[in-house]
Amino acid sequence: ILAISVLFQHAVTNYAYFVTGTWTITDVRFYRHLGGESVILFFMITSFLYWSKAIASKGKLDIYALYRSRFLRLAPMYLFSAIIVMVIALAQTSFAIASPMVFVRDALSWLSFGIVTTTTVNGISIIPINAGIHWTLHFEWIFYLLLPVTALVLRNKISTGIALPAFLLFLYFFVPDWGYWIIFLFGMAAAHVVALVPVDTPRTVWMRSPWMAIVP
């Protein structure tokens, strides 16, 4: 449902691009929120699922299994998409390399698997080609990379005293987009609610009501 919602927002944005020749996110509020709120829920689902794993393991994550599963889940389709985008961008310039150094830089940036958000190839903006949809991977990868360190707060008070300040300092100096990280924190908070509050007792069974979906 969330992916289809994003698809509709991109379809409307693409339509405006074909009509006007300018790429801008649609001003139609329904479609704008259809995409934006879907991304918010994607981030919340990601943080909820993986923080739930961290809670269940009491902060002792299998780091190899974590990164192996994430790499195999994200990298193949990402690289396949990157190749298509690069071919289209090169075709738009008749496969003439304007600057070898710039082209190599753009090509290598794709190998970050989304940690670095690539926006041009051979001087051509790729936003109208793939809508820049890989920008979300930047936040997901950083979340995955920080997860083993952040999960240390679940072990004991000493770990909390070391890991939590280190995590906050990292965000302050290296991650400027605080708004998106607050979204991840909401997903993590939801994981704690599920872990700490039993929902199979008469007093809390109401939490399973479909109406509770309004709260997020």
Side-chain angles (χ1 to χ4, degrees):
I1 291 174
L2 297 179
I4 291 174
S5 297
V6 173
L7 172 66
F8 275 111
Q9 189 219 46
H10 287 173
V12 172
T13 302
N14 270 312
Y15 174 77
Y17 173 71
F18 293 141
V19 171
T20 65
T22 302
W23 181 273
T24 55
I25 301 299
T26 176
D27 289 328
V28 181
R29 289 187 178 182
F30 173 76
Y31 290 108
R32 192 179 186 94
H33 288 294
L34 203 62
E37 269 57 36
S38 293
V39 170
I40 288 174
L41 288 171
F42 269 129
F43 286 164
M44 288 180 66
I45 289 172
T46 295
S47 58
F48 173 80
L49 289 176
Y50 284 90
W51 194 244
S52 295
K53 293 178 183 290
I55 293 173
S57 65
K58 296 182 178 179
K60 298 178 181 179
L61 292 168
D62 186 336
I63 298 176
Y64 172 76
L66 169 67
Y67 292 138
R68 181 178 182 276
S69 68
R70 291 298 80 201
F71 181 83
L72 294 178
R73 172 67 177 83
L74 299 173
M77 192 62 189
Y78 170 84
L79 291 175
F80 177 71
S81 173
I83 291 171
I84 293 177
V85 169
M86 291 190 67
V87 170
I88 293 175
L90 287 171
Q92 290 183 357
T93 57
S94 301
F95 293 90
I97 305 299
S99 170
M101 291 297 295
V102 173
F103 177 76
V104 170
R105 182 200 64 192
D106 292 341
L108 290 177
S109 65
W110 285 104
L111 297 180
S112 71
F113 300 104
I115 295 178
V116 176
T117 302
T118 306
T119 57
T120 61
V121 172
N122 201 29
I124 297 294
S125 172
I126 66 168
I127 304 301
I129 300 175
N130 74 342
I133 56 174
H134 55 298
W135 70 270
T136 59
L137 289 176
H138 167 79
F139 295 94
E140 289 204 41
W141 275 121
I142 291 179
F143 173 78
Y144 295 137
L145 291 173
L146 291 177
L147 186 59
V149 177
T150 314
L152 292 175
V153 303
L154 300 171
R155 294 190 178 186
N156 51 56
K157 292 181 179 180
I158 296 177
S159 297
T160 301
I162 298 174
L164 192 57
F167 175 71
L168 294 176
L169 285 172
F170 180 87
L171 290 182
Y172 180 79
F173 286 107
F174 298 103
V175 184
D177 302 295
W178 282 92
Y180 291 109
W181 291 106
I182 292 174
I183 296 168
F184 282 92
L185 292 176
F186 274 110
M188 295 164 74
H192 278 289
V193 171
V194 171
L196 298 175
V197 181
V199 293
D200 55 354
T201 65
R203 292 177 57 187
T204 57
V205 69
W206 58 271
M207 293 185 68
R208 288 193 180 274
S209 167
W211 291 102
M212 286 301 294
I214 296 173
V215 175

